[in-house]
Amino acid sequence: MKRGSTFFLKGVVVLLGLGALAVCIFLLPWIASGDAEAHPEDSYLQYPFLVCSYLLSIPFFAALVQTLKLLSYIDRGQAFSELSVRALRSIKHCGIAIAAFIALGVLFVMVFIDDDITHIITLGVLFIFASSVIASFAAVLQKVLRDAIRIKIENDLTV
């Protein structure tokens, strides 16, 4: 793969991370305070919402870091290495963690909120699906890469 392709992908990952960081710093507190003002009877949920949102962002940013590591391994010609397999395994675990956090959040909303929550459930299911697809894709790539490494080692031994 050419260096320009990985450079572009690294730029996309960095921009995605900066956008998510901006959402965490500026948008989430604004949403929480606006909802607390609009619904004073549920204002006690403002801080648990922020804590859960920030906890959810930890595996997201960890997955972005692992993606950057994987792209640098590709740049250095170490795409078929155990380091790449570990990065893919971490991305898979982060995807599973994100799906689990969101599922718990949707379950919490279903149990404790009495208002119309259809939009929350719909967004939750979409995000669970997206993170599950990412985790599944990382798992498939991890298996394929592990098999390719095994074949490469066997070929190196026979030559």
Side-chain angles (χ1 to χ4, degrees), residues 91-105:
I91 292 169
K92 176 183 72 172
H93 291 307
C94 289
I96 292 169
I98 290 170
F101 278 143
I102 293 173
L104 287 174

Side-chain angles (χ1 to χ4, degrees), residues 33-45:
S33 65
D35 190 54
E37 289 175 10
H39 303 98
E41 67 277 0
D42 293 332
S43 64
Y44 64 93
L45 292 174

Side-chain angles (χ1 to χ4, degrees), residues 11-28 60-61 64:
V12 169
V13 170
V14 167
L15 286 176
L16 188 63
L18 289 175
L21 188 62
V23 165
C24 287
I25 292 173
F26 300 113
L27 191 62
L28 286 178
F60 178 77
F61 286 117
L64 290 181

Side-chain angles (χ1 to χ4, degrees), residues 57-123:
S57 70
I58 292 171
F60 178 77
F61 286 117
L64 290 181
V65 168
Q66 292 302 317
T67 303
L68 287 174
K69 283 184 180 181
L70 183 61
L71 290 170
S72 18
Y73 298 148
I74 292 170
D75 273 348
R76 288 187 269 161
Q78 296 176 330
F80 294 101
S81 68
E82 190 60 35
L83 295 171
S84 298
V85 172
R86 277 191 240 145
L88 285 168
R89 184 177 57 233
S90 296
I91 292 169
K92 176 183 72 172
H93 291 307
C94 289
I96 292 169
I98 290 170
F101 278 143
I102 293 173
L104 287 174
V106 168
L107 185 64
F108 175 83
V109 167
M110 289 171 64
V111 170
F112 291 107
I113 305 296
D114 293 332
D115 293 339
D116 181 29
I117 56 170
T118 310
H119 58 286
I120 296 173
I121 294 173
T122 304
L123 280 175

